[in-house]
Amino acid sequence: MDNFASAARRLGFSRDETHAFPALRTYFLQVRKQSELLCEPLTIDDYGIQTMPDVSPPKWHLAHVTWFYETFLLKPFLPSYQPYHPKFHYLFNSYYETAGTFHPRPERGNLSRPTVEEVYRYRSYVDEHMLDLLNRTQLNHYEEIATRTILGCNHEQQHQELLLTDIKHILARNPLRPTYRVDLDTPTGHAVAVEWGAHPAGVVEAGYDGDGFCFDNERPRHKVYLTPFRLASRLTTNGEYLEFMEAGGYENVELWLSEGWKTVAQQGWRAPLYWEKIDGQWWYMTLAGLQPVNEQAPVCHVSFYEADAYARWRGVSLATEEAWESVASKQPVTGNFVETMYFQPAPARSDTAVAQIYGDVWEWTRSAYTPYPGFRPLEGTLGEYNGKFMCSQIVLRGGSCVTPQNHIRASYRNFFYPADRWQFTGIRLAEEQA
Amino acid sequence: MDNFASAARRLGFSRDETHAFPALRTYFLQVRKQSELLCEPLTIDDYGIQTMPDVSPPKWHLAHVTWFYETFLLKPFLPSYQPYHPKFHYLFNSYYETAGTFHPRPERGNLSRPTVEEVYRYRSYVDEHMLDLLNRTQLNHYEEIATRTILGCNHEQQHQELLLTDIKHILARNPLRPTYRVDLDTPTGHAVAVEWGAHPAGVVEAGYDGDGFCFDNERPRHKVYLTPFRLASRLTTNGEYLEFMEAGGYENVELWLSEGWKTVAQQGWRAPLYWEKIDGQWWYMTLAGLQPVNEQAPVCHVSFYEADAYARWRGVSLATEEAWESVASKQPVTGNFVETMYFQPAPARSDTAVAQIYGDVWEWTRSAYTPYPGFRPLEGTLGEYNGKFMCSQIVLRGGSCVTPQNHIRASYRNFFYPADRWQFTGIRLAEEQA
Amino acid sequence: MDNFASAARRLGFSRDETHAFPALRTYFLQVRKQSELLCEPLTIDDYGIQTMPDVSPPKWHLAHVTWFYETFLLKPFLPSYQPYHPKFHYLFNSYYETAGTFHPRPERGNLSRPTVEEVYRYRSYVDEHMLDLLNRTQLNHYEEIATRTILGCNHEQQHQELLLTDIKHILARNPLRPTYRVDLDTPTGHAVAVEWGAHPAGVVEAGYDGDGFCFDNERPRHKVYLTPFRLASRLTTNGEYLEFMEAGGYENVELWLSEGWKTVAQQGWRAPLYWEKIDGQWWYMTLAGLQPVNEQAPVCHVSFYEADAYARWRGVSLATEEAWESVASKQPVTGNFVETMYFQPAPARSDTAVAQIYGDVWEWTRSAYTPYPGFRPLEGTLGEYNGKFMCSQIVLRGGSCVTPQNHIRASYRNFFYPADRWQFTGIRLAEEQA
Amino acid sequence: MDNFASAARRLGFSRDETHAFPALRTYFLQVRKQSELLCEPLTIDDYGIQTMPDVSPPKWHLAHVTWFYETFLLKPFLPSYQPYHPKFHYLFNSYYETAGTFHPRPERGNLSRPTVEEVYRYRSYVDEHMLDLLNRTQLNHYEEIATRTILGCNHEQQHQELLLTDIKHILARNPLRPTYRVDLDTPTGHAVAVEWGAHPAGVVEAGYDGDGFCFDNERPRHKVYLTPFRLASRLTTNGEYLEFMEAGGYENVELWLSEGWKTVAQQGWRAPLYWEKIDGQWWYMTLAGLQPVNEQAPVCHVSFYEADAYARWRGVSLATEEAWESVASKQPVTGNFVETMYFQPAPARSDTAVAQIYGDVWEWTRSAYTPYPGFRPLEGTLGEYNGKFMCSQIVLRGGSCVTPQNHIRASYRNFFYPADRWQFTGIRLAEEQA
């Protein structure tokens, strides 16, 4: 057994079922392969498009995740490593200010070069050197290298989700409404009835405390007091959301946060993103193409403002992130993840107490994204990964239909701005007492 | 004793020391008078200026607070009340969407009419009718009228603070740097040394539970778990903040939230608002005119981004709003409020355990402004007062040197956007453990 | 007779009927007085408002024209002159880059100080010193001083027109629709029928060639070839323009320049500026208050885009500035100027061959504002007066109902951007052949 | 001989040397082929990029010119023609409002589909049907079809120039500074000395009067009076422009139009577009890659503002478009056009009286782009081709190093906004007298 496996084991790598790979290299190769598989249905033409500053071109994602290994592993740890190209550090640094200046985000769609072909060569070059690194037996810093490799793989998994999210935006923005893959199954079935599980007040612990991988923002594990709350047993469906729309939800100022109401007016929102009415019938874009809205499936691509307004209209609320975590941590991490290959949320078929708590859609909580008490970011440039975004964003939990299953945990904190809609985001209702 | 006094007493009005007025009418008249006293030093020319959308012209403040009584008291409760002017409802509604359309905020500085003179006539007219209302003995709804009158007075007090805040902005924006009042004392003295009071972990209660007045956002009182923390015994001084500036704080990306760093770059921030360097010496605008920066006085007019970066540079943090409240609720509500007539923060002279916890500057907490568990806004249009702003803002606590003393409580929650600097906002450091 | 009168006479001052003043001082005093008379109906509150960057507050106009004499006459020519205030040079320089930095235009409405009262004191101070200068008999540079004084008076007259134009904008933007003067007569009468005077082809001369005052942009006099053209004998009326509106002119893309069509869409234009429909009837703001649209009066407050689209709809065009001048130069400079005190355009009552060629409204030509061949701007800072604006603007001719009569000539060139509507601008149709 | 050739001959097609093609079909096919040849060096990745709203992706150009034939020839004249794709009319209409709604210009870079491959299929499909149309002998409207085909070919030639212009922008924006073609010759040689040809005053004719093709904006031919002028015998060189830069031209406000000065400040201009200083040496991007600035070659990629400021600095001016035309019309249409395959301007090697009057760079005139007297646009939708842009733009003359030679005439009017720099635009000095 090599030394990395040993370091990885110390990191809890092989003990955690959700990371059930025989060794770090296998895991690394699987993740690298998966990114490329997700891009297989694309034409060369698709790879370079940036439909809005939030979206990155697919080839940029492929190169950026590669840059991550080059910058944080190969350059510091592989002796005499030669970077693939002197300007790629500038082009594919996303936002790490302490790593030097970088290409402005809104300019990513202006790069016809490197070509798609060259980006794949860049990936091969880095993979080869990463395998060299992970094969070495005469190195110091095993633990740091294993830690960073695992971080790099988790980072790449985040970008796998973004790849599908951004591809959907790119295709949906096109008046031709092209289809990502024509061979996808469409989820069917009738959503189970909602039940409201009651949870008593009390001090609980939140945050990661396992010995596997987690992001710095999930730590430290700490105590919080939960007031009594009830949590809906499944996600809000398109059918339920249509009731809100038909009741004039988007026209009723009393339901909206002030910022939400301004956004509704400025953007002309009258339905979730990707919905369009054709001949009196609602359709939406999916990665399988334009489909009639499925009233049984969870509503998706709504902003926090919409989730909040919908909850207010129902006379309830959203959960705090800690309330959510206290329920989710008792559930297995299974659900409609990217592995089901629906690439869209599916009706709640489970009759467990809490359905869809993982997968399907990221669930908006009512918690602002702030540091946990005693939070310490990673040292150095990697400290920019999460901490510097802890302002003005909202926590989402649970992963989505485009998240890799082994990437998610009960303590996982995702975060987006309250107006963001292009992520696979949805609604689970909750009710709190003081 | 009239029925309003009786209703007011039931509302805790006369029992609460901080509202020590013999009766509601006296309180009402005192508040009304105070707004006009604050405007006495102004020229007619000063009353109409709006230097940025956040700022309102002084005469708009005077009219808007008057509109509040007209709309929520005289129209619904005073039989056969005739509004002063048919268009004032449109002009002086600030943001109550459910009360009808209103004049756009950035247009407030375009209104030469009504003239200042007419605004004062409008005030007299409404005062006269309010006294009529409060004198009546044959009315229903005493309790509602008393409640709303108290709310209206608290609302006007908030605008008294805004009046001084906005007047400062108006005068400071003028290259002539005019002075609001030339007869003000300047606070002096040496700031006491900082001590770090330690506070143990545990479940505490936060939120208002008295029987006096409070805003809806201070309720319900609820339990929270506090991790162990230490709190600085006084505010950060200008001298301490200068150390941060001189150490390159504004140039060091590692200290800043991502949004903060962008704002620093876009706005060219290199010092707090109102500071300017003249012949190598730092000066700042005060309501007493341009003065050399007093290194012993609390730093003021910093954004949340700056407060957060400063704390990070010192290796510590800011307090959560509940941690702050747990300390403040044990202190008397005294300090450098508007009544001292400094109209600027003063050096911490007290040697009590926690100095300056009230008054001087609003203290940025590290808590996002979100509803308390089980929060219910007021019914109807008045429900727009606080609840709809519970997104993307940060809680500030403690009042400032331009806040009326009897307006503040330990549970009082103020809120502004993290980039806002024109309020009297400052820094108290804290340190948390998990 | 003093030396200035003599210098003025050499400049054609006393010979030109349109400048029929006994002497330069009298002229100077008359102009200075007139600016203040125009402001008499204002409240102090009106003086400081800037409703858009193009508009300047009335008190800024009063101070800026005063600064002009101080800068270009008193400072260079009056020995030991002490400027009124060290910062007024910064505040009241409009755009003369070579005279130093200046207060940004959009900030003019943020200046509550100097107060109106102080601006009048500033005017008195400068007037007193100007009279001193114009009384001296022991000076060099008489000719330069006379020239600049005449330029300063013409400059102030331009600002008298802007004063009324901007006051109208300030009052009309106010939802209370206040009236500038309630004692104004409203012009009446039926517009005469349009006739189309035919003008043959040939080489003519354009530009100023008299010995009185003119602006640098009217020179040099030069030859141009005119193709045969016909010119409408009067201005387009509101009634005629209403036909265009009712025929869907604002909805018909074929009538519009590309930039015009974009502007119509972005601004939502459906009528001239200041028109509003109340209970199915068109009204417009005048300086005498809100009035029903007078179908016999010339249409006013239309942009070049609207003038151009209207002409295209009628199957004709607008005149070139030289064609216009060739006709106007044969007409006396009489008409509905500011002296009639209508302050709005009046129906064409004349039965002369060409009515309304002067006064009523500035007539959009189809000529871009470019330099005449061989154009030389004034020397030094005064060279910034006209030349630097010779790009992207359109020439207007003939003066308006708010122009002083003695300010206008056949060769006078006004210029505004094609989207501008707040000036008193209207339409005279023309037709050209190749 | 077929009927189209006959119609074409009547249109002057085969008689004009500059259109020396045996027949319309040959001409059509040559033009169609040339567009594709120009794109041969591109990677698939290059075809979809839009670096700014003014720039269109290469594949959009290829499809749009194809749409032109489909819309204006195949649909109206080829019986039972089936459009290639129902949505291409929406996607590839550029700005013809009367032809229906169209895809917003700034969105062109968001279209990954149709793919490059499909755009080429679209081209083949339309070519095939165009050849069918041009082969028919049983049609009405020969003359209209021939006219529109010639217009379509000229339209495609304009887009050939734009293709190279936009490709340069796309590649130059890329930090990798990729090269369009590595096999291009670089022009060499020493620029001849400038001489100033004198031209007397008088009435001349301007505009097209031949019997070949011209655009509607070149008509009608009409008389103009020219004041005496002198015209530089060659274009301004990079070396001469460097003198202006080194003399502080970009920092000297006196040289600039007001709009130009604002643009210089806002954009931070300190050199022509595409120039960059590397280790103290000026380089610029060319289609052959990054090269040291050639001081002998004409300056290129300057705005009108820069051309105007440069001329002012030299104490002279630019020519009016008619003065330019009066000189150019006496010269043969030869020069450094796209056929030389330099794709960049070349030093003036000719010792003729007027060198470089055609080709190399488009020459900014001092004339605003306005209609000629008696101008009539084409009927119908094609009337939107030129006329609706006759506002706020400046006329340029003479063609450039990326213009097809047979596309240019003495009367040819190009037009761009005064701030535009991405076209191949340069400077020829002139001097005028009144």
Side-chain angles (χ1 to χ4, degrees), chain A residues 12-30:
Chain A
F13 192 73
S14 50
R15 266 173 291 161
D16 184 336
E17 298 191 77
T18 67
H19 294 103
F21 305 105
L24 192 54
R25 271 176 303 159
T26 312
Y27 174 47
F28 172 77
L29 286 172
Q30 184 273 339

Side-chain angles (χ1 to χ4, degrees), chain B residues 46 107 112-113 116 173, chain C residues 45-46 107 112-113 116 173:
Chain B
D46 295 325
E107 292 282 317
S112 58
R113 318 290 178 91
V116 171
R173 181 72 156 267
Chain C
D45 313 69
D46 296 325
E107 293 282 316
S112 58
R113 319 291 177 90
V116 172
R173 178 75 155 266

Side-chain angles (χ1 to χ4, degrees), chain C residues 199-206 222-229 320 322-323 326 366 432-434, chain D residues 202-206 221-227 322 373:
Chain C
H199 303 271
V203 173
V204 300
E205 295 208 333
H222 61 285
K223 291 185 179 144
V224 289
Y225 182 88
L226 297 182
T227 54
F229 69 98
T320 62
E322 296 91 351
S326 74
R366 75 176 197 75
E432 278 175 332
Q433 291 169 255
Chain D
V203 172
V204 299
E205 295 208 333
R221 181 133 169 124
H222 61 286
K223 289 185 179 142
V224 289
Y225 181 88
L226 298 182
T227 53
E322 296 91 351

Side-chain angles (χ1 to χ4, degrees), chain A residues 41-52 59 85 87-88 90-91 103 107 109-117 170-171 173-180, chain D residues 41-52 59 85 87-88 90-91 103 107 109-117 170-171 173-180:
Chain A
L42 303 183
T43 66
I44 301 290
D45 313 69
D46 295 326
Y47 277 93
I49 306 292
Q50 179 175 38
T51 37
M52 62 174 178
K59 80 175 172 188
H85 190 292
K87 292 232 172 156
F88 281 15
Y90 174 79
L91 288 181
H103 198 230
E107 292 282 315
N110 288 335
L111 298 175
S112 58
R113 318 291 177 92
T115 61
V116 172
E117 198 182 330
I170 291 164
L171 297 177
R173 179 73 156 266
N174 193 316
L176 303 177
R177 303 283 183 270
T179 296
Y180 165 65
Chain D
L42 302 183
T43 66
I44 301 290
D45 312 69
D46 296 325
Y47 277 93
I49 307 290
Q50 178 175 38
T51 38
M52 63 174 177
K59 80 175 174 188
H85 189 292
K87 292 232 173 157
F88 280 15
Y90 174 79
L91 289 181
H103 197 232
E107 291 282 317
N110 289 336
L111 297 175
S112 59
R113 319 292 177 91
T115 61
V116 171
E117 200 183 330
I170 291 164
L171 297 179
R173 181 74 155 265
N174 192 317
L176 303 178
R177 303 281 184 270
T179 297
Y180 166 63

Side-chain angles (χ1 to χ4, degrees), chain D residues 251-325:
Chain D
E251 290 82 38
N252 183 355
V253 65
E254 296 184 49
L255 301 174
W256 296 83
L257 289 165
S258 179
E259 285 184 357
W261 185 246
K262 273 182 214 155
T263 309
V264 163
Q266 281 163 5
Q267 305 292 326
W269 289 351
R270 284 296 177 272
L273 182 63
Y274 298 137
W275 288 41
E276 54 189 302
K277 211 165 198 169
I278 303 174
D279 298 334
Q281 162 89 26
W282 282 110
W283 293 66
Y284 50 24
M285 268 299 274
T286 73
L287 286 164
L290 201 59
Q291 297 186 344
V293 165
N294 178 353
E295 298 201 4
Q296 301 301 319
V299 68
C300 189
H301 298 298
V302 288
S303 65
F304 171 75
Y305 298 134
E306 287 161 301
D308 175 79
Y310 175 77
R312 188 166 294 120
W313 182 68
R314 291 286 184 194
V316 293
S317 174
L318 305 173
T320 63
E321 62 168 322
E322 296 91 351
W324 187 95
E325 185 174 334

Side-chain angles (χ1 to χ4, degrees), chain B residues 274-307:
Chain B
Y274 298 135
W275 288 40
E276 54 189 304
K277 211 167 197 167
I278 304 173
D279 298 333
Q281 162 90 25
W282 282 110
W283 294 66
Y284 50 25
M285 269 298 275
T286 72
L287 285 164
L290 201 58
Q291 296 186 343
V293 164
N294 177 354
E295 298 201 4
Q296 300 301 319
V299 68
C300 189
H301 299 297
V302 289
S303 65
F304 172 75
Y305 299 135
E306 287 160 302

